[in-house]
Each structure stands twice: as structure tokens, then as C-alpha cells.
Amino acid sequence: MTRPRIADAARVLAEGQSLLVTTHIRPDGDAIGSALALSHGLRGLGKMATIVLEHAVPRPYRFLPGWRDIVPPLPVSEAGRFDVAVVLDCDGLQRAGEVTGLVRAVGRIVEIDHHPGAHGDGCVIAVYPEAAATAELVFELCEALGAPLTVELATCLLTGLTDDTGGFRHSNTTARAHELASRLVAAGADPARIAENLFGNQPPARLVLRGRALARARLLLDGRVILSYLTNKDFAVTGADRADSSYVIDDLRLAADIQVAAVLVETENGQCRVSLRSSSDLDVAAVARSLGGGGHVKAAGCELPGTVAQAEPPLVAALAGALGADGRHGG
Ligand SMILES: [Mn+2]
């Protein structure tokens, strides 16, 4: 089965000889894997494909075949080199960051994505939210184009699929995703090597940072909230990256019988970034909004002024209010 818009995309790509491929800023495994897979597919058909990204390829994806060929933003004056621009995994062209101007200058734009919501104004907009990953759509696109399913292409696609499904554990893990994975492994992709690169290979400093946060995690509000924090000192002592703090919220939400996980992280400009995750029907976006932030029902955040010691009381008060004075909420 080829989805109708993917067939449309294949027709536009088939007409192009030199293609620009891009994806969103701060790319994840689906973004990088999809972009590389498509470029392998296009090159297999004798076309030229250039992947342009604002940000450098993050370390976990530097095992993917072809990652070194990804180039930083080209001047808009280079747009004439390309017949078609393909924008992957972006809900809106502006998600391509500094590459957006070049994409618009190419003019003939194909968008392929699985995020719901508003998109750009490409001549083909192939958005299928039911797809587990953009990689699933790129697989179909490569098939429609008749690109040979090489080990390189299969490795990049399985990486995208594995990353976006959290290792085939998230709710977007469908029968179709497993079917696709089966075909990719049969084509030579190595799932163990991919998983090791995506989920293993952690910088030791990150683990030490996560350990500090886990060691001081507390249960609050009758055990309905698990909360922890990281101070500026924690980053100084461990030498961990600021971005490493993002793992802590996922560590905390592994706790059974909680309704909300909360992490406060001090920033370099005297604020605290708060991350909230709901494991119940509690809407953490509403909690975040009451504190000047926002987000999704199950995942939200805000910034509060001051140190952890100063920011924690208003956060706990907001959570207490949302959970209700009767001591019960959701399940
Ligand atoms: Mn994705």
C-alpha cells in the first residue's frame, strides 16, 4: 500500500535530479535517520541529494552511514542548484531553522511528516499522524520511487523507527511499525547495534548527574508527586552537559503509583526550568499555564524565578491545587 500523498511526493521527486533534503532543528533519530535514508534512496536512483541542517549531527547518530556528508546551511543564493526541497519530520517549514530560507528559495517543496497540525505550503504535503515515525513514510516513498533497499538505507530507517517509538515501547508502536522493522532487519539493519547507539553509549557525566537527581527524589502530596531537582552546582561538579538534565524527568516517571513527576533545573540566568509529566488524567499543561508556561496534557513545563529553594514552594502549591484538596485525583 502506498498512501496517496506519498505517491504524489514520489512523482515530484522522480522529476528532480538534484534534491535538497532537510529536517528540524535539534534533530532526533527519526529526523536524521529519515533524511539520510532518503538521500541513500535518491542516490541509489542516480540522483544528487544534499542534506542541509542547521545543527551538527548529535553524537548518538554518528554511526549512521553518510552522516559526515550532512552540510551546514548554504546561502539562499545556492537555491538554483536544487530542483526540489524535501522537508522531513517538520510541522511547519520554520522548524528547519536557518535552512527555511533556502527551502523557500528552491520553491518546489515536498513535506513529509507524521506530526499533526499546521504545515507549510509545499506543492505536496504528505502528513500522516498515524505513522509511527517519518521513517515509516520515507520507507514507503523509497519503495514508490523504486529505490533499492540497501543495508545503509535500512539502517537509517530502522534508527528513525526505533528512536521515535522509544525502542518499540511507546503508544505509537503499531503492527505496521513491527512489520516494517522486520523488513529492515531482513535487509541487513542491525537492531542491537542501533539500540546500543541510541540508548546505550551514555556519557558517564550524564549518568552521574542523573544519579544525583535520583538520589534526592522525594514523594510529595501523599505520594502522588515525585519531585527532584538539579542545581547549577550539580553541573559544575559532574561536568555534565546542560542538555543532560532532560533525562531526569524520564527517570522519575518510571516510578509506580505516582500521578505527576516534576523536575526543577537551575539555569545559568538565575531561573529554574520546570518539567512536568503526568501519569494520570491530571492535565499538567494547566498546571504549567498557571505558572506562566505551557505544553501538552501529559508533558508540560514552565520557568520560575530564583533558585530551586525559591522556585519549589510555588510549584508544589500549584500541584497541590491541581490535585485537589480532597487528596484524590484521577487514577
Ligand atoms: Mn518523528
Side-chain angles (χ1 to χ4, degrees), residues 41 84 127 221 240 244 246 264:
V84 181
V127 177
L221 302 171
D244 290 336
S246 65
L264 296 115

Side-chain angles (χ1 to χ4, degrees), residues 28 30 89 114-115 133-134 164:
D28 56 16
D30 188 30
D89 206 40
H114 68 132
H115 297 96
T134 293
D164 256 22

Side-chain angles (χ1 to χ4, degrees), residues 227-310:
L227 179 142
S228 191
Y229 61 88
L230 289 167
T231 65
N232 282 321
K233 192 181 163 201
D234 291 317
F235 293 99
V237 168
T238 60
D241 248 41
R242 289 274 158 183
D244 290 336
S245 64
S246 65
Y247 291 82
V248 173
I249 191 74
D250 292 321
D251 291 333
L252 294 187
R253 70 200 285 208
L254 295 174
D257 303 325
I258 53 136
Q259 294 190 20
V260 183
V263 178
L264 296 115
V265 181
E266 289 182 359
T267 66
E268 284 150 309
N269 54 3
Q271 305 251 97
C272 277
R273 218 177 45 249
V274 176
S275 298
L276 299 169
R277 296 289 183 275
S278 174
S279 308
S280 62
D281 61 358
L282 182 81
D283 177 0
V284 287
V287 177
R289 274 197 301 275
S290 76
L291 297 168
H296 304 281
V297 173
K298 297 272 180 198
C302 62
E303 292 226 339
L304 293 172
T307 61
V308 163
Q310 290 164 323

Side-chain angles (χ1 to χ4, degrees), residues 107-129:
R108 203 159 167 71
I109 302 166
V110 171
E111 295 175 65
I112 296 165
D113 188 26
H114 68 132
H115 297 96
H119 282 76
D121 40 12
C123 64
V124 177
I125 300 178
V127 177
Y128 291 97

Side-chain angles (χ1 to χ4, degrees), residues 33-81:
S34 294
L36 283 168
L38 182 57
S39 76
H40 288 303
L42 291 168
R43 285 175 196 157
L45 294 165
K47 298 179 184 295
M48 302 225 312
T50 308
I51 304 177
V52 183
L53 291 184
E54 175 178 333
H55 290 135
V57 175
R59 208 165 283 279
Y61 316 126
R62 293 188 189 170
F63 73 102
L64 288 171
W67 78 267
R68 285 173 197 279
D69 301 332
I70 295 176
V71 299
L74 302 170
V76 171
S77 57
E78 297 283 303
R81 284 169 46 183

Side-chain angles (χ1 to χ4, degrees), residues 9 15 17 22 28 36 42 44 140 157 162 172 186 240 280 299 304:
E15 288 164 13
Q17 187 51 38
T22 192
D28 56 16
L36 283 168
L42 291 168
E140 238 173 65
L157 287 180
T162 303
N172 60 342
S280 62
L304 293 172

